[in-house]
């Protein structure tokens, strides 16, 4: 059974979607812990109510990113993770931290990467006149919001969309996409190309939802 450690910073709706899919679909995995850098992260409440161990490592308690990441890694490793799952974890990670979890850390980002890494993705997609937007699950590498793409989901950008309406439709897709991607990882069906850049799924087309 694989141990998943999920990192959140706030609402935690992706974490809930993952926990529910894990239970409903009987994954060979368990949520070993939900860890937040914010004590007031709403998602912690769901985890506590559902018997999932939680921890908080408050970034404000540390002098710099290196010290925070070192403390965070220590707490994560206490739960013996097979996979670290970033689910709305809003911290820039140090290269050393990323290296420590190399090949065993996934992230979800609310854009069709490599477009719009960073913040305010939906606003930027609307401002750029994009006709599609979406979300990406990728393997975490030292460069922010880069790394081999595991799966993507697309939605149409409607002429009357605001940042909020677009974000809401993308979030619905995230809740379908992330559990699916994690399940593939747990089942060991993902293949990374020799150059380490591209993730395939045995020729299946389901790496794209929507579109
Ligand atoms: C999600 O939309 C996720 O893609 C985004 O934060 C939201 C978290 O929602 N992550 C990033 O922007 C990371 N760069 P949630 O807490 O309800 O899962």
């Amino acid at each position: 059974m694989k141990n998943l450690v999920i990192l959140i910073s706030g609402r935690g709706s992706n974490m809930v979607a993952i926990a529910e899919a894990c239970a409903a679909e009987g994954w060979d995995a368990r949520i070993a812990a939900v860890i937040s850098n914010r004590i007031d992260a709403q998602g912690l409440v769901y985890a506590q109510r559902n018997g999932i161990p939680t921890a908080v490592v408050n970034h404000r308690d540390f002098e710099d990113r290196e010290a925070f990441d070192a403390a965070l890694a220590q707490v994560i490793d206490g739960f013996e993770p097979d996979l670290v799952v970033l689910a709305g974890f809003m911290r820039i990670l140090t290269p050393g931290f990323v290296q420590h979890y190399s090949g065993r850390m996934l992230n979800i980002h609310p854009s069709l990467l490599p477009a719009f890494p960073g913040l305010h993705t939906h606003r930027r997609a609307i401002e750029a006149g994009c006709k599609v937007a979406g979300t990406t699950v990728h393997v975490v590498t030292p460069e922010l919001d880069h790394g081999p793409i595991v799966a993507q989901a697309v939605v149409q950008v409607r002429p009357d969309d605001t940042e909020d309406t677009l974000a809401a439709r993308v979030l619905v897709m995230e809740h379908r996409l992330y559990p699916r991607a994690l399940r593939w990882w747990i089942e060991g069906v993902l293949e990374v190309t020799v150059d380490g850049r591209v993730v395939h799924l045995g020729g299946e087309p389901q790496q794209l939802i929507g579109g």
Side-chain angles (χ1 to χ4, degrees):
M1 178 157 296
K2 297 258 191 317
N3 277 340
L4 310 184
V5 170
I6 305 181
L7 305 193
I8 64 169
S9 291
R11 184 176 51 190
S13 70
N14 276 289
M15 176 271 296
V16 173
I18 292 162
E20 287 181 349
C22 180
E25 297 171 9
W27 296 358
D28 187 21
R30 66 189 187 104
I31 315 299
V34 172
I35 301 174
S36 175
N37 62 309
R38 299 181 58 106
I39 190 122
D40 59 352
Q42 216 184 312
L44 290 172
V45 177
Y46 171 90
Q48 283 153 2
R49 284 195 185 138
N50 286 275
I52 301 169
T54 61
V56 174
V57 183
N58 186 343
H59 59 276
R60 297 214 174 98
D61 293 344
F62 299 89
E63 215 165 75
D64 52 31
R65 285 190 195 283
E66 280 72 20
F68 168 69
D69 279 6
L72 180 62
Q74 203 168 22
V75 174
I76 293 171
D77 289 348
F79 293 101
E80 302 182 348
D82 294 292
L83 186 68
V84 175
V85 180
L86 306 182
F89 188 64
M90 306 304 281
R91 298 290 305 167
I92 292 172
L93 302 168
T94 56
F97 184 91
V98 173
Q99 182 57 37
H100 182 64
Y101 297 107
S102 175
R104 53 187 181 120
M105 182 155 63
L106 297 182
N107 181 42
I108 191 160
H109 180 75
S111 79
L112 294 173
L113 292 174
F116 309 125
L119 297 174
H120 310 302
T121 53
H122 306 301
R123 188 197 308 167
R124 288 156 66 203
I126 291 169
E127 283 172 0
C130 294
K131 307 306 174 223
V132 293
T135 181
T136 304
V137 174
H138 66 98
V139 181
V140 178
T141 55
E143 194 176 350
L144 179 70
D145 298 330
H146 278 69
I149 293 172
V150 175
Q152 291 184 309
V154 298
V155 301
Q156 190 186 353
V157 180
R158 296 178 184 153
D160 59 350
D161 259 330
T162 64
E163 198 175 341
D164 288 346
T165 58
L166 182 56
R169 285 207 311 291
V170 170
L171 191 66
V172 171
M173 293 304 242
E174 293 197 328
H175 296 164
R176 289 172 58 194
L177 190 73
Y178 214 177
R180 186 184 288 196
L182 287 173
R183 189 173 169 169
W184 290 333
W185 189 87
I186 290 158
E187 290 175 353
V189 295
L190 296 172
E191 298 159 6
V192 182
T193 53
V194 181
D195 64 5
R197 287 169 168 232
V198 179
V199 179
H200 291 299
L201 175 71
E204 299 286 336
Q206 309 119 313
Q207 280 170 286
L208 173 68
I209 300 182

